[in-house]
Amino acid sequence: MADHAHEPTEHTHLLFPRSRFDEEARSVITKEEGALAGTAIGERLAYNDYTTIDWLHDLVKDSYRFRALHSREGLRARIICNFDACSGWIAVSIIGALMAFVAVAVDLSVATVGSWKYGYCSKNPFLSRETCCRWAEEEGKPCDQYKLWGDSYGMRFGIYVGWAVLFGIISSSVTMLSKRALPSVTPKKDYSNGITTSLNDNLTAGKSLYMSAGSGIPEIKTILSGFVIPHFLDIRILVLKAVGAVFAVATGMSLGKEGPFIHIAACVGQLVAQIFPKYQENGKKLREILSAACAAGLSAAFGAPIGGVLFAYEEVSVYFPRKVLWRTFLCSMVAAMTLRALNPRGTGKLVLFETNYGTLYRPEHYLVFIFLGIAGGLWGGTFTMANFRWAKWFRSLPTIKDNPVFEVFLVILITAALQYPNPATRAPGDIIIKNLLVSCDGTKDTWVCQNESRDDGRWDYIAWLAYGTLVQLASTTITFGLKVPSGIIIPALVGGALFGRLVGQWVTTISPGIFAMVGAAAFLAGVTRMTISLCVIMFELTGELEYTIPHMIAILVAKWTADALSKESVYDLAQSVLGHPFLDTDHALTLVQHQSSSLVEALIPPATTMVELTINVPPNNKVSRKVLKEKLGYLHRRGLMDGGVVLVQKGLLEGYIAEPELDFGLNKLGKGFGDDVEVRLLGDSEEGEYDLSTFVDRTPITICSRAPMEYAVEIFGKLGLRYLCVTEEGSGKLIGFVIKKRLLIYLDGLKHE
């Protein structure tokens, strides 16, 4: 996320009223936290490149803002208060409408660019094949205005592959432009021992990310859980993601645009939120808007407003109270309404794969639905492991590691060469699904229905379905993780629909399209472990409410089967591979419960670390500026952007002061003071004193060192804390100071035991 959007919200005064220094403090702290890292000295923790927000302190900060706003009188004050109360509803409405426009632009661009692989529209080359032929098909006439490339199969095949490779190179090249380095703290001054010498004046970068690659969902989950990924939601990334997604989907690779739509929607949400100071200056409030925006992304992608709300709740959000649920509902609804009004598909409907099977399933068909669920779970469970091993081996090869665009070139070349010969997989992903879900009632004249009406055994048709299933699943395994914008939803649906249609060839009592529909849901459930949201999305995609139970059976069986093979969904795996911090309390509690004895004391930092991060405050409540500069130097050298020091008096915890506040207090407010001056940290200040007590959090959350580790997991997860102080059992003395990142490192260690 952009620096100007988040850093101010994380370091304003937290548990005390606003002072006259607030505005200046915000601007200075923004610059400090945006600085890039230099030398790494001392004990450095993993995830130092990510800052965290403190949900509890942001809640208190918003309370002070609310009270200050409502303490004023007069008509103007009432208008401002009413606008403030409505600002959330206004923001999500704008986000929903804007996301629908972006989705339509991307959809139309994908349709046009993707059509160029097959031919061109003679009356307007910028029309897609579907748009070019729409009027002719409505009148029952052949489409003469869309011209295929060449007259021979060989020429069409070569041009198809050539266009696909070109589109892939363009998409990957655009993605390369989104490479950004995550910032770390720059230790501009070495304050240890009172010496003020420059350690490193050059800006250096921490970990690098291709911010427009992949779906963006793992990063969005990281952000919504309380971490900050600078620049990830910038308008520049939005543009690169949208352009890259158009050309990536147009290649015909096993990827979809629905996942990237979530990232694009979050970018739109970030941009709109900056209009409202209420969200611009508070990390917790901003994440409420981002949760709603994610729902609009899926709503605009599938025309599934209810499914979008449930997806935001089930899959990406950590903090989702009822107020957020209502606003998410509105955001998703506005996105769907705008999408229907724009009518990009020309049908006037939101339903993407409308079906009407007309036949009812019988109890014996439950066995087939269970079988589809098992198959989907087996593929979902093995996919995560196979994709991880493939990436670990293939992407570690020097040529591939140093040339991501070359990897895209190879995968597209292989995928296009294998897909084009098969009539079942030659079309774009959404068209493939639409063709496979069709019910052949005698009036349909599609390739699928023509073959299923034959009475000669249809072994060549069955072979094409089997071949298509294997190619789709294999190509999805090697495609996921490429340096292009890509999602897993459409590829999984295509693989499941192919397999379900294949199974349906041996069950002749109902339409094979029913098994294609249920198989698609099962395979997607196996990969993502979605349940309720996926079930609703399938209803909204197909309009088939009658098949609630078959979907529920297949989805649950797929999830159980996949969980038995691998606990991580594809998004969890991506988070682990990319190294993003994320505290999943359910998984964390499972890890901790498998330990015979796991207590909070295991999180306590080494003694040397605690000495450096602790300030012993004498009875006069004052400490020399020299001591504070030493402590600030220790924080800088650890590279912590969201660390701090604890204040102790007679062994008892008295407060906490964050690194940015300490830095501001020493280097801005205390610019004219010498190192020997006494700085007040506790108690009431007197006139003329050098006072930093207003920067001290006097109510830090504590936990006993002998408490079960589950307590720490729940407190960090449910309260959204940035830090937790550990006290000794019996005496109550401070013996440890734990930040969220240290808990994550501990949990990572348990995963690899």
Side-chain angles (χ1 to χ4, degrees):
M1 284 181 248
D3 292 339
H4 66 275
H6 292 281
E7 282 79 346
T9 71
E10 296 167 18
H11 303 298
T12 39
H13 306 173
L14 300 175
L15 299 177
F16 45 85
R18 290 176 173 270
S19 74
R20 68 179 187 275
F21 301 119
D22 276 358
E23 297 303 321
E24 186 181 3
R26 262 201 294 274
S27 64
V28 173
I29 292 164
T30 298
K31 296 173 185 175
E32 290 299 312
E33 194 165 83
L36 298 177
T39 308
I41 304 175
E43 183 207 28
R44 290 175 62 85
L45 299 177
Y47 310 125
N48 274 356
D49 298 321
Y50 303 82
T51 55
T52 56
I53 70 165
D54 195 313
W55 299 82
L56 196 58
H57 285 181
D58 279 350
L59 173 66
V60 175
K61 185 166 60 178
D62 187 63
S63 296
Y64 280 114
R65 182 198 63 82
F66 182 84
R67 290 168 190 159
L69 196 66
H70 286 261
S71 63
R72 302 169 186 171
E73 297 180 355
L75 178 61
R76 184 171 180 271
R78 284 200 298 272
I79 293 174
I80 293 175
C81 289
N82 289 332
F83 177 77
D84 181 75
C86 298
S87 59
W89 301 99
I90 296 170
V92 296
S93 299
I94 296 172
I95 291 167
L98 289 179
M99 185 56 216
F101 279 100
V102 174
V104 168
V106 173
D107 282 341
L108 295 178
S109 300
V110 167
T112 298
V113 176
S115 295
W116 291 343
K117 293 186 301 178
Y118 310 96
Y120 64 97
C121 185
S122 57
K123 69 175 182 180
N124 185 350
F126 293 100
L127 290 180
S128 67
R129 182 176 188 173
E130 184 179 7
T131 305
C132 188
C133 296
R134 181 176 298 158
W135 293 279
E137 290 175 354
E138 287 175 355
E139 295 175 5
K141 299 177 181 178
C143 182
D144 339 347
Q145 295 180 328
Y146 189 81
K147 309 294 182 183
L148 299 177
W149 299 115
D151 299 322
S152 66
Y153 176 86
M155 180 178 289
R156 292 174 185 172
F157 175 66
I159 293 175
Y160 176 94
V161 174
W163 275 115
V165 168
L166 176 62
F167 295 155
I169 292 173
I170 293 173
S171 177
S172 188
S173 299
V174 169
T175 302
M176 295 298 104
L177 300 176
S178 69
K179 185 177 182 180
R180 300 293 297 264
L182 299 184
S184 301
V185 165
T186 301
K188 294 182 178 180
K189 304 283 185 179
D190 181 4
Y191 297 106
S192 60
N193 302 317
I195 302 172
T196 313
T197 56
S198 177
L199 283 175
N200 189 349
D201 292 329
N202 298 321
L203 294 181
T204 58
K207 170 177 162 184
S208 295
L209 288 178
Y210 293 97
M211 296 200 171
S212 67
S215 66
I217 292 178
E219 290 83 0
I220 297 299
K221 290 178 68 174
T222 299
I223 291 170
L224 293 181
S225 71
F227 286 88
V228 177
I229 304 180
H231 308 299
F232 189 74
L233 302 180
D234 287 358
I235 188 170
R236 179 173 180 269
I237 303 301
L238 186 158
V239 173
L240 293 176
K241 189 91 172 189
V243 173
V246 168
F247 287 98
V249 176
T251 63
M253 285 192 296
S254 297
L255 49 81
K257 62 183 181 297
E258 289 71 22
F261 270 15
I262 307 298
H263 184 185
I264 292 172
C267 292
V268 173
Q270 158 87 355
L271 294 173
V272 173
Q274 299 315 300
I275 302 172
F276 303 89
K278 176 180 180 179
Y279 299 105
Q280 181 186 15
E281 299 181 0
N282 192 296
K284 171 182 172 290
K285 302 293 289 182
L286 174 65
R287 279 154 180 78
E288 296 177 1
I289 295 296
L290 295 183
S291 294
C294 291
L298 198 73
S299 176
F302 281 134
I306 304 298
V309 174
L310 293 175
F311 177 84
Y313 169 73
E314 181 180 5
E315 193 61 33
V316 297
S317 295
V318 173
Y319 175 72
F320 209 82
R322 268 188 292 182
K323 179 177 64 175
V324 177
L325 173 65
W326 298 332
R327 289 177 180 170
T328 302
F329 189 84
L330 174 63
C331 188
S332 190
M333 182 192 74
V334 171
M337 289 173 58
T338 309
L339 184 70
R340 189 176 187 276
L342 295 174
N343 193 21
R345 304 181 187 97
T347 62
K349 299 179 180 180
L350 285 177
V351 179
L352 189 58
F353 309 125
E354 186 173 13
T355 59
N356 185 15
Y357 295 118
T359 55
L360 298 178
Y361 58 89
R362 297 199 293 266
E364 59 266 26
H365 294 137
Y366 289 154
L367 296 176
V368 185
F369 301 142
I370 292 172
F371 173 72
L372 291 174
I374 294 172
L378 288 173
W379 182 68
T382 56
F383 167 82
T384 54
M385 295 183 287
N387 178 259
F388 175 75
R389 291 175 181 173
W390 165 263
K392 187 176 180 181
W393 168 73
F394 188 67
R395 289 172 191 150
S396 65
L397 299 175
T399 304
I400 302 301
K401 184 177 181 181
D402 299 334
N403 301 281
V405 179
F406 181 64
E407 182 191 6
V408 174
F409 166 79
L410 290 179
V411 172
I412 292 176
L413 197 62
I414 295 170
T415 303
L418 292 174
Q419 284 181 341
Y420 186 83
N422 188 350
T425 59
R426 192 176 298 166
D430 55 344
I431 302 300
I432 295 174
I433 297 172
K434 187 175 182 179
N435 292 337
L436 291 170
L437 265 58
V438 69
S439 177
C440 299
D441 54 5
T443 62
K444 302 291 192 304
D445 189 26
T446 64
W447 178 80
V448 169
C449 292
Q450 288 173 357
N451 280 280
E452 291 186 351
S453 63
R454 291 160 48 190
D455 54 6
D456 57 355
R458 312 190 302 270
W459 291 110
D460 55 336
Y461 169 64
I462 292 173
W464 282 127
L465 290 178
Y467 169 75
T469 302
L470 294 175
V471 169
Q472 178 67 24
L473 300 183
S475 61
T476 302
T477 302
I478 66 174
T479 300
F480 189 75
L482 288 179
K483 295 300 184 287
V484 292
S486 60
I488 195 66
I489 296 178
I490 285 293
L493 291 175
V494 171
L498 283 164
F499 183 77
R501 196 85 194 192
L502 177 63
V503 170
Q505 302 309 303
W506 286 277
V507 185
T508 58
T509 51
I510 57 175
S511 170
I514 295 172
F515 300 116
M517 175 180 66
V518 175
F523 274 59
L524 182 54
V527 173
T528 63
R529 316 299 162 86
M530 294 160 54
T531 52
I532 301 173
S533 58
L534 175 56
C535 202
V536 173
I537 287 171
M538 292 306 297
F539 301 156
E540 294 183 295
L541 277 176
T542 62
E544 288 286 357
L545 291 175
E546 181 61 36
Y547 293 88
T548 304
I549 295 177
H551 278 120
M552 294 176 71
I553 292 172
I555 289 170
L556 272 179
V557 171
K559 176 176 170 53
W560 290 337
T561 306
D563 282 344
L565 296 175
S566 170
K567 292 297 182 183
E568 290 186 315
S569 71
V570 67
Y571 300 130
D572 297 331
L573 176 68
Q575 239 162 355
S576 300
V577 171
L578 293 170
H580 298 316
F582 179 69
L583 179 58
D584 187 329
T585 53
D586 291 336
H587 287 177
L589 289 173
T590 302
L591 286 172
V592 171
Q593 287 164 359
H594 281 83
Q595 301 299 305
S596 57
S597 178
S598 185
L599 302 177
V600 171
E601 62 187 6
L603 299 175
I604 297 175
T608 53
T609 299
M610 282 308 303
V611 169
E612 293 179 354
L613 299 183
T614 302
I615 298 177
N616 290 294
V617 183
N620 66 355
N621 296 328
K622 298 178 182 179
V623 176
S624 72
R625 187 167 180 265
K626 178 181 178 180
V627 171
L628 296 180
K629 289 171 69 176
E630 288 178 358
K631 300 299 181 182
L632 182 61
Y634 294 142
L635 288 170
H636 279 169
R637 290 197 300 247
R638 280 182 166 77
L640 291 175
M641 293 185 286
D642 49 6
V645 292
V646 285
L647 310 182
V648 173
Q649 201 169 58
K650 297 180 181 179
L652 299 178
L653 175 66
E654 292 293 341
Y656 164 87
I657 182 167
E659 181 269 336
E661 276 84 6
L662 182 59
D663 196 345
F664 172 75
L666 290 175
N667 299 317
K668 277 291 179 181
L669 298 184
K671 213 170 202 180
F673 293 93
D675 287 347
D676 295 332
V677 70
E678 294 287 303
V679 182
R680 177 172 290 279
L681 296 178
L682 301 173
D684 297 326
S685 64
E686 298 176 5
E687 188 175 352
E689 274 190 326
Y690 184 0
D691 181 24
L692 296 185
S693 62
T694 53
F695 290 92
V696 176
D697 175 7
R698 295 301 306 274
T699 59
I701 304 297
T702 62
I703 188 171
C704 176
S705 62
R706 300 295 295 173
M709 187 65 72
E710 290 87 343
Y711 282 22
V713 171
E714 285 287 284
I715 290 174
F716 272 114
K718 298 296 172 59
L719 296 183
L721 299 180
R722 178 184 282 173
Y723 64 90
L724 189 61
C725 297
V726 184
T727 58
E728 186 179 49
E729 185 179 27
S731 68
K733 291 185 177 181
L734 178 77
I735 59 173
F737 169 68
V738 180
I739 62 175
K740 186 189 291 187
K741 294 172 184 175
R742 190 173 287 278
L743 173 63
L744 291 173
I745 296 165
Y746 173 81
L747 295 173
D748 286 344
L750 296 183
K751 289 180 185 178
H752 298 99
E753 285 184 357

